[in-house]
Amino acid sequence: DAKTTQPTSMDCAEGRAANLPCNHSTISGNEYVYWYRQIHSQGPQYIIHGLKNNETNEMASLIITEDRKSSTLILPHATLRDTAVYYCIVRPRSGSARQLTFGSGTQLTVLP
Amino acid sequence: NAGVTQTPKFQVLKTGQSMTLQCAQDMNHEYMSWYRQDPGMGLRLIHYSVGAGITDQGEVPNGYNVSRSTTEDFPLRLLSAAPSQTSVYFCASRPGGQQNEKLFFGSGTQLSVL
């Protein structure tokens, strides 16, 4: 699986957009980008995923660069409850390597 | 639906003891998996199952056994607990098939081995 690189930590003001970057420069054509988050002491929660087009759902937007070597998760109006560790994961569409591999993620702290 | 239910929430063991962490899901998901998370670390895959009767090893399987006799249940057995197995354990499930990508996680079991 392609490896991902994320900043260790980020801060964001409440009500502002939180933009979390992820580098996946070795991503291959059949690999998806997934985002999960983990609020303290809870199980991870799925946020969004995409292949090459930008995606949006009720939680967030995912912007993938045209060369697919990096992506950005956008939380449009961050709240205190969005404070969590955010994981960017690259995973092939099929095969035994489809199991998700979680790295260390980005600790996002939303400040009042 | 209750989703993914893990029991117990907390457990303390002595070195050498055995125990089973329970995981059950009521969403009729084919795929289930176990992860462990050490302090300040990401999750590591222990074992997974793509359906009843089928299991496979993940990244860190040593010291753990699993079985999948029903679709609903996926217990994780520690055969002889060691302090290195002190961790938080998460169970997860999702529907089968290539297009079903969203994992649902349980709330975790905090295990301490003394």
Side-chain angles (χ1 to χ4, degrees):
Chain A
D1 293 359
K3 296 208 178 290
T4 61
T5 303
Q6 299 177 253
T8 302
S9 63
M10 294 181 62
D11 292 340
C12 176
E14 187 177 19
R16 304 295 295 269
N19 296 280
L20 292 93
C22 180
N23 181 284
H24 32 80
S25 58
T26 61
I27 193 170
S28 62
N30 71 337
E31 290 181 315
Y32 284 75
V33 180
Y34 289 81
W35 285 85
Y36 280 75
R37 73 180 183 183
Q38 186 175 24
I39 297 170
H40 182 62
S41 300
Q42 298 181 20
Q45 176 190 25
Y46 167 87
I47 301 173
I48 199 167
H49 76 281
L51 182 62
K52 53 184 177 182
N53 297 322
N54 298 338
E55 302 287 345
T56 295
N57 63 20
E58 66 280 3
M59 290 183 67
S61 294
L62 173 61
I63 308 298
I64 302 174
T65 57
E66 191 170 346
D67 64 7
R68 302 187 66 242
K69 293 184 177 182
S70 65
S71 61
T72 301
L73 178 74
I74 301 172
L75 308 178
H77 305 286
T79 71
L80 299 179
R81 289 176 294 179
D82 292 321
T83 292
V85 177
Y86 287 77
Y87 297 98
C88 170
I89 303 162
V90 170
R91 196 194 85 170
R93 183 183 177 199
S94 62
S96 62
R98 291 172 60 220
Q99 315 312 325
L100 286 176
T101 301
F102 288 77
S104 299
T106 297
Q107 170 66 59
L108 174 69
T109 302
V110 180
L111 304 172
Chain B
N1 288 349
V4 179
T5 302
Q6 291 185 236
T7 56
K9 291 191 181 301
F10 301 95
Q11 182 70 50
V12 179
L13 293 177
K14 294 181 179 179
T15 297
Q17 286 185 315
S18 63
M19 80 156 295
T20 299
L21 307 185
Q22 301 292 344
C23 176
Q25 52 89 12
D26 61 359
M27 298 172 282
N28 200 33
H29 286 171
E30 294 180 15
Y31 175 90
M32 296 185 74
S33 57
W34 276 102
Y35 287 85
R36 62 176 285 174
Q37 185 173 34
D38 299 328
M41 307 282 287
L43 282 76
R44 292 185 292 170
L45 182 66
I46 305 172
H47 286 285
Y48 64 97
S49 168
V50 298
I54 305 169
T55 64
D56 206 346
Q57 296 180 349
E59 180 186 357
V60 288
N62 292 342
Y64 307 95
N65 275 1
V66 292
S67 60
R68 185 92 180 274
S69 56
T70 67
T71 299
E72 294 78 18
D73 300 297
F74 190 44
L76 178 72
R77 297 183 185 85
L78 281 70
L79 306 175
S80 177
S84 61
Q85 294 179 304
T86 293
S87 190
V88 180
Y89 291 84
F90 290 102
C91 178
S93 73
R94 63 165 170 77
Q98 293 183 2
Q99 300 305 319
N100 292 296
E101 320 286 5
K102 180 178 175 181
L103 272 177
F104 295 80
F105 281 84
S107 57
T109 295
Q110 171 76 59
L111 176 67
S112 296
V113 182
L114 306 178

